[in-house]
Amino acid sequence: MRQSSLNENEALTTALPSPEMVREQKIYRTFGLTDAEYARAVELLAREPNYVETGIFSVMWSEHCSYKSSRKVLRRFPTQGPQVLQGPGENAGIVDIGDGLAVAFKIESHNHPTAIEPYQGAATGVGGIIRDVFTMGARPIALLNSLRFGELDHAHTRYLFAESVAGIGGYGNCIGIPTVGGEVVFDNRYQQNPLVNAMCVGIMTHDQIATGSASGVGNPVLIVGARTGRDGIHGATFASAEDPHAKERSAVQVGDPFMEKLLLEACLELIATGQVVGIQDMGAAGLTSSSAEMASRAGSGLTLDVALVPCRETGMNPYEIMLSESQERMLVVMRQGAEEVAKKIFEKWDLQATVIGRVTDDGMLRVLEGGVVAAEIPVSALVDEAPLLDRLALRPAYLDELREDAPVLAQPSDFVAELAELLARPTIASKQWVYDQYDSMVRTETFVRPGSDAAVVGIPGTKKAIALVTDGNGRQVYLDPYEGGLRAVAEAARNLVCSGARPLAVTDCLNYGNPEKPEVFYQFERSVDGLATACEALQTPVISGNVSLYNESNGVDIYPTPVIGMVGLIEDRERIVTSEWKMPGDEIYVVGALSHALLAGVGGSEYLALRQPDASLKYRLPTFDLEQEVRLQQYLLACAQQGLLQSAHDVSDGGLLVTFAESAITGGRGAEVQFDFAVQREGRAIESDELLSLFFGEGVSLVVITAKPESAGALSRLANEHQVALTRVGVVASTPFLRVSVDRQLYVHADIWQLQAAWRGAIASWMKH
Amino acid sequence: MDVLAKIYVTLKESVLDPQGAAVSHALHALRYDTVSDVRIGKYMEVTLSAGSEQEAHQLVRGMCDQLLTNPVIEKYTYELVEA
Amino acid sequence: MDVLAKIYVTLKESVLDPQGAAVSHALHALRYDTVSDVRIGKYMEVTLSAGSEQEAHQLVRGMCDQLLTNPVIEKYTYELVEA
Amino acid sequence: MKCAVIQFPGSNCDFDAVKAIEATIAQPVDLVWHTATDLSQYDFIVVPGGFSYGDYLRAGAIARFAAVMKEVERAAADGRFVLGICNGFQVLTEAGLLPGALRRNESLQFRCELTELVVANAATAFTRHYQEGERIVIPIAHGEGNYYADEQTLRRLQTNGQIVFRYAQGCNPNGSIDDIAGIVNERGNVLGMMPHPERAIHSRLGSEDGTKVFTSILQVWRETHAAIQS
Ligand SMILES: Nc1ncnc2c1ncn2[C@@H]1O[C@H](COP(=O)(O)OP(=O)(O)O)[C@@H](O)[C@H]1O
Ligand SMILES: [Mg+2]
């Protein structure tokens, strides 16, 4: 197979620096390889790597591709369960939803590109995650996005936010996959490092599952889709660079959603022929990582000739072709002799499918340029021998300085004004300005559009539907990495349950600062412990995910921000539950320990951040009761499945009053709500702290549900069975007023249309600036 | 003085221009066979007043760098015309 | 001969240009106070070969009228540069 | 009534249109690839929504040159029914089958929401089952739906009753002149509209008000067909 020696190659092919120059001038450092890593590469090769090989090592061993900081920690996640058909390790995870059907999903970050070219950065993030899903043989049916930006009073933040949203919409709308949900949080901690995490969900039959494995000696390897240009060379390396602007050195990729739509259709048609051995999308580190990973999974080798790769630009050398991050490309291994099948299908879609190499059995990734060897590296050296770090983790001092007592906050004289102000905070306000820019309805299966606790999408040809959500709360994870981790998973699952869905599995996007700082690494480890524990308890294994580190600028790290993407199953689409209040006369209940809600305080809450911004990082997060949470969720699910719920909405950002207000606004209905603590308190009057904790605290898992009066008996029987606290607190009114009193004293008497104005218009009015 | 700045923004050569590619393809389908390349960019006309030609140059360059283009993927040229 | 056609497409005067208005607004916010008007159009570079200059003109006009512009809302001018 | 839904590269509401035809009027329907050169067997042709050819250059500008468009033109000339939805409307205006043009939304943003429409002409083949002046809710999803026609054309549309749907007062989502959401050609057999009736055929989707577009056509077709046969 080997056609010429490496020395000849140097002379013959390119004018790239020699291996000696790479060593002597320490060129590897500019690629992001450390001295020790370079030495290790020399050892593994038993010679000095040439320029191309050095480039290949550097991207494969970058944080982005090798997960060298995080890999060990990620092993703590539970990944198994009867529903799991494909766990982590492939392009996307897959869970069974019965009837021979399965759902594939994954979430991925595109934070660094977005910081410097928000439209294209966000757009190509969406493009990448869609490829991950259709690579598995699944038809993408829904997208979600989880976003973090600085505060909107900053012009540059508004630019980043507006362009990112436009880019996400631009890609998803064009390709015809509905964007059905997500979240947006605004906090100055993200001003320099916005987070854009995109999630894609696809549907498939069990027999369509494709994987990214290059097996079968002699099988042809094809590159399909877009031509290769000099886009984003070394993007993977720079994604791990401290300063996102360092990435400017490499070109940012421009996405072509039209091309991807064709690629998607062509690939699904190709996979359906049964002639595909393996298929993998080309994301970070392009041809290099896709080929190495495919060979590694099969324990095989690959020989590729870059001269056969269709290029967009002239004069591209092997280094550039191997490292290009041009979008909308895939690597496909076909059965021998089936090349024509691929070519025919791709021709119909006006796309190229070009054989560029073969599968071998010698475990080598061999790159030729017109038959001449340009690089030759054992696949195992790139993948299995990639560095694995034991980063130092140190408990940050700030955690021990957090105060346990309640912050001193004056009791507001006007709770309605307080509530309106909270509702107008961009993090809490309606995200309609965002999701109206997304086509959330294409495919005509979106039963619950953005705006409820979770989105719900129908499964054609069945009675089933799936519920989808992303959730994360960086400030809470910062205040308590472990408990914050628990909460992130619990909240995602709770949102699914509130829509009537049984949570199935998790995909996670772990966004953190610089892992070389022991304090940041501690946050990472401890929060993963929290996430893992909650996933275990809620029986939602992690089936796919993504890690984004080095979200840091000028020495300031973002909050540790794990984002949880979760999918749940609704067996009967007639049993979907939404969050808006429905009928006057429906009874309102709070599920969960209300008595604790009085005492848990406002630590970690949006309310504290609003009232005392300086104190918002100084008070402890209330502790979280995971067992209680599990029972609460099982109870809600049982209620939903028996059709007892008219609405359900969990208490999250902003606390209980915000939850009431949102259900009132979206339902266009007021309510009469009365809490009665007098008896249990033996007449002692409620204190100001307790009132604030009840109204604005975010410490205790609570869900507000409404039900028809005749359901009362069944609801409380089930509550006894599941040992959860259920308190009837009021009724949905026929007037548009939300009235809330505690121990017979009226605190809130709000016109819901006024609340609506505050809530609905807030982001739009910022964006008019 | 009143100036009309004509600003031409194009994608950098190395950056993919999907729009240009699609149009090129369409022109071929319409039998414009001799077309070898199409790049699509933006054309902006900005009318402004400035104290001097030099200031006009400064202003136009400023707005191009700050707002009208993103140097990561685009480049621009411009002309000034007395308006 | 190889020709580069530089084509400038703008909205007709009678057609509102919301994009221009938005950019103008943004420039004012950035304190470019002397900007009085912004119009935004397209700039296209088409490389082609033609037997003569006259043929090049014909080809470019043809593709502009047929595909590159919509006469209901747009107008265009172009220049030919020897490539 | 035989129905066709055209597929361009980049169409993405093609399957939704098929589903809607099956669900509302249960007539035979085929997906027809853009290279097709014979549509003579079809009575009703839908040019669906999406981003044909990426909507690059201008929405619909490239699709209008697809081979199948000659056949769509022929169908229109024959008096058969053509319905352009969203991108389909853009294609039909670019092709000159309908007057005017669709510009970028005034907000410069893509918009997807349920919009309230008023049926401005309930006498067309496409709106027979609505009441004149009826308010209906149908979703939109577009970035370039801002309808424009010069004054003369607009006046002609108005006097001929060619304006079929208007956005309800105060609900114009894109800046269209005279709140225009959908128009027919003079002959009345070609309708273009930005809102998506195929997305409004079941309460689960938020509205079923789009159903009557399909049932109207079927009824008119049946009447003319019966007339021809007798
Ligand atoms: N970036 C976004 N894209 C799409 N939908 C969004 C986005 N941000 C928020 N939403 C939608 O707005 C609603 C409220 O979001 P959020 O306040 O995060 O809900 P919750 O507190 O229940 O998690 C949800 O339906 C969510 O899907
Ligand atoms: Mg919620």
Side-chain angles (χ1 to χ4, degrees), chain D residues 7 14 50 70 87 98 107 122-123 147 184 221 226 228:
Chain D
Q7 286 182 298
D14 41 354
K70 287 219 173 61
N87 194 228
L98 290 170
S107 65
Y147 184 77
V184 280
W221 178 82
I228 291 164

Side-chain angles (χ1 to χ4, degrees), chain A residues 382-616:
Chain A
L382 294 173
V383 181
D384 310 321
E385 302 295 331
L388 195 52
L389 303 175
D390 282 301
R391 295 246 187 237
L392 186 62
L394 268 184
R395 185 177 161 88
Y398 76 82
L399 284 176
D400 299 314
E401 290 158 10
L402 296 174
R403 301 174 54 153
E404 302 228 12
D405 56 334
V408 184
L409 291 167
Q411 176 163 329
S413 56
D414 181 352
F415 276 94
V416 176
E418 209 75 354
L419 175 58
E421 205 176 332
L422 207 46
L423 286 169
R425 271 173 82 75
T427 294
I428 292 176
S430 164
K431 306 303 183 298
Q432 196 175 346
W433 186 89
V434 176
Y435 58 69
D436 275 359
Q437 296 185 55
Y438 302 150
D439 188 341
S440 54
M441 304 185 222
V442 62
R443 294 192 73 260
T444 52
E445 292 289 345
T446 310
F447 300 152
V448 179
R449 301 199 303 126
S452 202
D453 275 339
V456 179
V457 175
I459 303 297
T462 71
K463 281 168 68 186
K464 292 178 176 168
I466 51 174
L468 316 168
V469 75
T470 65
D471 260 308
N473 188 325
R475 192 196 311 125
Q476 295 191 348
V477 179
Y478 174 85
L479 291 174
D480 191 329
Y482 181 79
E483 300 259 322
L486 293 179
R487 279 163 192 272
V489 176
E491 182 173 353
R494 203 185 311 130
N495 277 322
L496 292 184
V497 167
C498 282
S499 63
R502 179 167 53 86
L504 289 177
V506 162
T507 182
D508 64 289
C509 198
L510 306 178
N511 307 276
Y512 292 80
N514 182 347
E516 293 162 29
K517 294 182 191 164
E519 290 79 10
V520 170
F521 203 70
Y522 174 91
Q523 293 172 334
F524 177 64
E525 260 188 356
R526 277 306 281 164
S527 58
V528 167
D529 281 339
L531 298 170
T533 305
C535 285
E536 197 88 57
L538 292 161
Q539 291 174 13
T540 51
V542 173
I543 61 161
S544 59
N546 177 249
V547 179
S548 169
L549 301 174
Y550 296 97
N551 292 288
E552 156 197 62
S553 358
N554 307 324
V556 180
D557 299 279
I558 60 162
Y559 292 134
T561 312
V563 170
I564 298 301
M566 218 187 257
V567 175
L569 181 63
I570 300 171
E571 290 288 348
D572 180 356
R573 53 176 62 170
E574 301 303 323
R575 291 280 188 250
I576 295 169
V577 182
T578 55
S579 63
E580 75 279 5
W581 285 340
K582 306 284 182 317
M583 295 295 291
D586 285 349
E587 300 191 311
I588 304 173
Y589 299 81
V590 174
V591 188
L594 265 181
S595 49
H596 290 176
L598 284 176
L599 307 171
V602 293
S605 69
E606 275 296 309
Y607 183 72
L608 181 58
L610 168 70
R611 273 296 147 252
Q612 287 188 11
D614 297 338
S616 75

Side-chain angles (χ1 to χ4, degrees), chain A residues 231-311:
Chain A
D231 313 74
I233 290 171
H234 262 300
T237 312
F238 288 118
S240 320
E242 265 176 47
D243 176 9
H245 297 269
K247 201 167 187 289
E248 278 189 42
R249 278 189 271 163
S250 70
V252 163
Q253 308 96 298
V254 167
D256 183 353
F258 170 59
M259 170 74 80
E260 180 136 315
K261 164 76 175 163
L262 305 183
L263 188 62
L264 154 67
E265 298 298 343
C267 286
L268 290 180
E269 208 173 312
L270 187 65
I271 291 168
T273 63
Q275 300 289 317
V276 173
V277 174
I279 177 167
Q280 159 106 17
D281 82 297
M282 285 190 219
L287 194 47
T288 296
S289 71
S290 54
S291 57
E293 282 172 24
M294 283 186 85
S296 168
R297 288 196 195 104
S300 64
L302 286 181
T303 295
L304 309 175
D305 193 335
V306 293
L308 301 173
V309 174
C311 289

